[in-house]
Amino acid sequence: MLSNNTSRAHTPALQPIVPGIVGWRNVFVNLYYINEPEVAGIGRPWVLLDAGLPLSAAHIQEYAIQLFGPANPPQAILLTHGHFDHVGALPDLLEAWPTVQVYAHPLELPYLTGLSSYPPPDPTVGGGGMAAISFLYPKEPLDLGSRVKALPDDGSVPHLPGWRWVHTPGHTPGHVSFFRESDRTLLAGDAFVTVKGESVVATWQQKQEVHGPPAYFTPDWEAARASVELLAGLEPEVAATGHGIAMHGNELRRQLQELRDHFQTQAVPTKGRYVGHPAVADASGVVSVPPPVISPWVKGLVIAGLVGVAVAVLRRRDKESG
């Protein structure tokens, strides 16, 4: 049964969310196994949502066998977006499942077909170690070629007739979320998350609380705000996100509405590369990005270095003139 007061220590990595959905916490990011709940038994059809971190393909396949039986690949792989922690296992999975098609929003395709890298992460946004080391995260595009195609224009979801996808940009240009109207289940990706994504400690503890998208990888804050407003308007009963443990009920809706109403102060960094100056992207990928913000630490080191050089030069001149 879902709880709004749990943590990593009290939840298994592989956890049923609602009927038809099982989530797997892959170190710090979540992916989801989805099937139609009324279809029971080993061998039933299923869909994978997102593809976790690099080197996780073997675990993803092992859990798929546990849940759905051997020689039963997914009917499709759906992507909320293409950041490294959501697509890392795709190359290995697509090799193991040679007939499986990947689906993403059209504006996400440049980052999945080798055309464009994402805007650079912003380690200056603060909030903790996950943000501080974000400059180390992979950001080069995958090239899936014909194995990836656009989601249907009408909002339907391949192989999941009870679901619809909604465009929720901001964290990436083509970010999408998935919603099942029958029980108001929302798979929100990183449009919002249920853990403080910038913090190493919070990410490890997995204390449940609604937060905006991980700030270090969000290049358009106004679009992100509009996406949270859209998702809050759905009034989900359950929300399973890309990071953090699923939440439900009135507490979920209360916190999501509070995030919507106070997005500027709760989610948007006080300063950062994309604060007030979003990256611009189109169907070909990134068009422009604002200049980087120099971290105060880096700025201090540079100034200290220049002062040191100046002092050394003056001392040398004093010696030469003396």
Side-chain angles (χ1 to χ4, degrees):
M1 182 176 179
L2 290 179
S3 167
N4 292 326
N5 297 286
T6 190
S7 66
R8 179 189 291 267
H10 300 98
T11 56
L14 189 70
Q15 182 181 30
I17 308 299
V18 294
I21 304 176
V22 175
W24 179 45
R25 181 174 60 239
N26 178 203
V27 186
F28 65 86
V29 65
N30 301 322
L31 55 89
Y32 297 93
Y33 301 86
I34 310 170
N35 68 278
E36 291 300 315
E38 61 273 12
V39 181
I42 293 296
R44 62 194 186 275
W46 63 285
V47 165
L48 180 67
L49 178 69
D50 286 344
L53 292 165
L55 305 179
S56 63
H59 291 295
I60 294 171
Q61 293 173 81
E62 288 171 10
Y63 290 131
I65 291 171
Q66 289 181 29
L67 294 168
F68 307 110
N72 185 19
Q75 293 182 301
I77 299 174
L78 308 174
L79 298 179
T80 59
H81 62 299
H83 279 156
F84 80 99
D85 50 339
H86 293 258
V87 301
L90 272 182
D92 293 333
L93 290 176
L94 294 182
E95 183 176 351
W97 298 329
T99 63
V100 173
Q101 188 73 53
V102 180
Y103 292 90
H105 190 277
L107 291 177
E108 208 68 7
L109 295 183
Y111 317 103
L112 300 168
T113 55
L115 295 179
S116 177
S117 296
Y118 283 109
D122 183 3
T124 70
V125 294
M130 296 295 286
I133 64 171
S134 62
F135 67 94
L136 298 173
Y137 301 156
K139 54 183 179 297
E140 297 303 315
L142 288 182
D143 187 357
L144 303 180
S146 62
R147 297 296 297 276
V148 62
K149 63 170 59 175
L151 286 160
D153 291 339
D154 61 3
S156 63
V157 180
H159 307 290
L160 292 177
W163 291 79
R164 62 185 171 97
W165 65 264
V166 291
H167 188 200
T168 48
H171 189 60
T172 69
H175 190 288
V176 294
S177 303
F178 296 87
F179 188 62
R180 185 166 65 185
E181 188 75 41
S182 61
D183 60 356
R184 311 198 72 74
T185 294
L186 174 65
L187 300 174
D190 288 2
F192 69 89
V193 294
T194 55
V195 68
K196 184 176 174 58
E198 298 78 28
S199 167
V200 170
V201 173
T203 296
W204 176 252
Q205 293 175 341
Q206 295 278 292
K207 178 184 176 181
Q208 292 170 289
E209 51 189 20
V210 171
H211 286 271
Y216 49 86
F217 255 161
T218 300
D220 188 334
W221 285 104
E222 177 52 31
R225 182 206 60 76
S227 293
V228 166
E229 183 174 11
L230 185 157
L231 295 179
L234 295 177
E235 298 187 343
E237 177 60 25
V238 173
T241 61
H243 304 271
I245 300 169
M247 295 180 65
H248 73 106
N250 291 333
E251 182 62 16
L252 163 66
R253 289 186 289 273
R254 183 191 68 78
Q255 290 193 31
L256 184 54
Q257 290 163 6
E258 185 174 335
L259 176 64
R260 175 198 63 194
D261 295 342
H262 304 283
F263 190 82
Q264 184 65 37
T265 55
Q266 287 193 8
V268 181
T270 55
K271 54 187 175 181
R273 183 172 191 170
Y274 304 107
V275 176
H277 303 281
V280 177
D282 62 16
S284 66
V286 174
V287 174
S288 66
V289 296
V293 175
I294 299 177
S295 165
W297 289 97
V298 174
K299 188 182 295 184
L301 289 173
V302 170
I303 293 172
L306 293 174
V307 170
V309 169
V311 169
V313 169
L314 290 173
R315 285 179 175 174
R316 183 172 180 177
R317 286 181 177 176
D318 286 343
K319 288 181 179 180
E320 290 175 350
S321 62

